[in-house]
Amino acid sequence: SAVISQKPSRDICQRGTSLTIQCQVDSQVTMMFWYRQQPGQSLTLIATANQGSEATYESGFVIDKFPISRPNLTFSTLTVSNMSPEDSSIYLCSVSRGGGNEQFFGPGTRLTVL
Amino acid sequence: AQRVTQPEKLLSVFKGAPVELKCNYSYSGSPELFWYVQYSRQRLQLLLRHISRESIKGFTADLNKGETSFHLKKPFAQEEDSAMYYCALPVYSGAGSYQLTFGKGTKLSVIP
């Protein structure tokens, strides 16, 4: 498995501002993923983050709104830009190792946009 | 396109009663399916995967390719089983990466 931490654990933000969420893993991992879980909904994949390359975004998500960094094999950030109340969600980071299909999840960041 | 369906949003059972959480999938390849669980105030964690054919915390799940199902079962529910359960399908997305397609989840409530 992997030990994954996220910062912040929760935040309340004003409309129009941006928030950067950090994901730290205790060991090197191949793939990192960012998900959104809106209230009462399932998990929706935002993007896949590979170290040293551009993130791959899913349909409906764009880099300008959700820029992602992956500077090394243990760390990634997701920024939620120009926030609106519709961005209020839990944002989750997950990782997989060595070509495996199992993913390990972080504790999530609960974002509320006023 | 792949799809995972969990038809029940909420399932309430009495303690000691059998539990079955339903999951159906649509996938053109040979599927491998997972059940993830999220207990209150805890992170999402893998409960079991069909390929391991294990029983975890008394839960089992059998892949039925004919019915395209992967239902999660437990003969006697316990209060500590109350949680959100997600069925997930890993799909190869290239470059050694798999993406997970999740069902909408079923909230299991075990009544004392």
Side-chain angles (χ1 to χ4, degrees):
Chain A
S1 64
V3 177
I4 305 162
S5 60
Q6 286 185 232
K7 288 182 182 179
S9 58
R10 59 177 61 223
D11 207 340
I12 300 173
C13 301
Q14 295 297 319
R15 180 195 297 263
T17 63
S18 298
L19 176 71
T20 295
I21 302 168
Q22 299 178 5
C23 178
Q24 179 75 54
V25 191
D26 67 335
S27 57
Q28 294 183 347
V29 293
T30 310
M31 309 297 293
M32 296 182 81
F33 305 86
W34 287 98
Y35 290 85
R36 182 174 71 184
Q37 187 176 25
Q38 293 178 303
Q41 303 294 318
S42 185
L43 286 79
T44 301
L45 181 65
I46 297 171
T48 302
N50 294 333
Q51 192 267 335
S53 63
E54 294 284 331
T56 302
Y57 288 83
E58 297 302 300
S59 175
F61 297 97
V62 295
I63 188 170
D64 290 345
K65 176 67 175 176
F66 298 101
I68 287 171
S69 77
R70 178 82 197 272
N72 57 51
L73 291 172
T74 62
F75 187 77
S76 178
T77 67
L78 169 76
T79 299
V80 186
S81 303
N82 189 24
M83 288 183 286
S84 67
E86 291 72 34
D87 294 320
S88 297
S89 278
I90 297 174
Y91 291 86
L92 294 138
C93 166
S94 75
V95 306
S96 66
R97 282 211 162 99
N101 57 15
E102 180 179 347
Q103 290 182 24
F104 306 95
F105 285 82
T109 295
R110 184 179 293 272
L111 170 62
T112 302
V113 184
L114 303 177
Chain B
Q2 65 277 2
R3 183 182 301 167
V4 176
T5 304
Q6 292 179 251
E8 301 141 330
K9 197 168 184 177
L10 173 65
L11 181 65
S12 296
V13 301
F14 285 101
K15 178 182 174 181
V19 175
E20 182 178 66
L21 299 164
K22 291 184 167 52
C23 171
N24 289 90
Y25 66 90
S26 172
Y27 184 55
S28 57
S30 183
E32 181 179 349
L33 285 133
F34 301 148
W35 276 100
Y36 278 85
V37 61
Q38 189 168 29
Y39 300 103
S40 179
R41 296 190 180 85
Q42 294 187 29
R43 69 185 64 195
L44 196 64
Q45 56 187 284
L46 182 67
L47 178 63
L48 57 80
R49 54 198 303 172
H50 96 271
I51 201 167
S52 63
R53 305 184 72 80
E54 294 177 296
S55 172
I56 306 293
K57 300 186 179 184
F59 284 97
T60 59
D62 291 320
L63 180 64
N64 186 322
K65 292 185 179 180
E67 296 183 357
T68 60
S69 69
F70 188 57
H71 303 328
L72 184 67
K73 300 177 183 179
K74 185 170 182 177
F76 308 104
Q78 303 298 315
E79 290 180 64
E80 55 265 29
D81 296 329
S82 295
M84 196 74 184
Y85 291 81
Y86 293 95
C87 185
L89 172 70
V91 178
Y92 186 67
S93 55
S97 172
Y98 288 83
Q99 293 183 357
L100 289 178
T101 298
F102 284 89
K104 291 187 182 296
T106 299
K107 184 174 182 180
L108 174 65
S109 178
V110 180
I111 305 164

